Amino acid sequence: MAAVLFLVLFPLVNRMDFPQNDDWVYYEMVETFMSGDLTLDPYTGPTFYTQGIIAAGFAKLFGLAQLPTLTFLFGVVNFYLLSKFLHERLHKSVRTSLLLGLIFFFNPLNIYLLMGFMTAQYFIFFLLLSIWFYSYYSETQESKYLWLLILTSLLGLLVRQVSMFIPFGLGFYHLLKLQFKKAGLFFTIFTLFYYYYQNIFPQSARMIEVPLQYHHFTDFDYTFAVSFGVLIVVTALLFPLFLGSIDFKKVFASKLKLFLTILLGFGIYHFALNAFNPHEVSWGEFPYFENTLERTGLYPRGVSGTKYQFRWNFDLYYYWDLASKVLLVSFISYVLIYRKRILNEYAALTIVYVGMLVVTETFYDRYILVAIPLLILFFAKELLRENRVTRLMLFGFLFFLMSFSYQLAHDFIGVNEYVWHRSEKLVVDEGIDRSRIQGTNAWKLKYRNQNRNYLYNFSYDSPDINEDYANLYTLVEEKEISFPGNIFINPKVYLYKLN
């Protein structure tokens, strides 16, 4: 299946010959790594070294332009590692393991981060390897697996500093299990990792400027907005896992417990919805958080203006949001009333990871992706019931995710491909400096214009709705983004020249 995914999606990913987000600076660092200079760019936030060194070796063989292929390869391997773990270590059937792996692979956050040269796929690779080795260590108590766990977590730390949550989360798990010796072991590993990062690792200027914001924990509104918002989003992206983990026969078997579950659910729903203020973090509408998955598509603010929408946009997000909130609250009520065992290592890792999201300087929705495989493993180990109904729900939801992600990915690539290539053509044809073009966000960051005196502007706004473009600019051309089955309404990008 992994090979099939690679062959089917490679033509789409192969169109990624442009930076799509912060990866513009990662490309530049790989180029310097290839020359032997391992200095981190002052702009970079992730630790990056593991990814950069791997990419430098790959680029020497295949060229810098092929780095999106490397990212995609890691993403396919991540699907393989997750599915294989579900089958071999958690003893799920081949069909269930593949369905769960595909639901992770095709969720829109993952699809976005498969494209380009961002850090997520590389970090998740080392996270999954760490989970494999922890599983072997827990079973055998052999020290070689502990050392391999430390090594893979450390390699993950040299991709993104968030890897420190792995030993801390495992220490937290063993502490809750009252296994103090093991808890102390993993907390010691965490302490060593933290000391290394703070005192030895050559931090970039950005790392120093934006440390963890522990004061967020004292702000209830912010902490609850991030935590509950993340829970709603992961419920939406793992809908059949939450639903398939509720034993409805048991719920309806006792009228008293059914009444208590409904009553508790109403109470939680009322409290949570009154306390939940997503404006504390970003948007007030589902999917709430900015950057990657927004209501109009993938990373829509990479180009200026108000992006066009797709058909059934409002209805989809309204009912998806509502259903996810109801299901999340129902699941919590079910677990509390029926005293379901939910404490395992994957739950502990998820809790600690979400805690780290709370204290980040700026929270972006793409950070949620790491929690998705952890929650899949949590449900698969403890609650998910394997039967025909569950597999039908998984298959139906997978079909929806594949269709949804197909639309978002083709639209995203079509827009960015046009803007980037057309910008390069303007540079050649007009003989102007790249900084005079307001292209994608990655273009603007790579070719900075401190005065913002752009000669050419790309925008989603037509001159009919934006007076500045109508009065101050000349419309050079409009580009319609087309692909088979496109459901976006009037999908156009406009190129303007300043009068």
Side-chain angles (χ1 to χ4, degrees), residues 86-105:
L86 287 163
H87 178 56
E88 290 193 358
R89 305 302 299 170
L90 298 186
H91 311 296
K92 298 302 172 185
S93 69
V94 173
R95 285 182 295 176
T96 300
S97 299
L98 287 176
L99 285 170
L100 292 174
L102 289 170
I103 282 176
F104 164 66
F105 186 85

Side-chain angles (χ1 to χ4, degrees), residues 14 57 64-65 85 115 122 138 141 197 238 253 291 462 466 479:
N14 197 42
L64 279 169
F85 190 91
M115 303 183 294
Y122 301 89
S138 297
Q141 299 300 305
Y197 174 70
L238 296 175
N291 195 253
S462 73
N466 191 315
K479 170 68 174 179

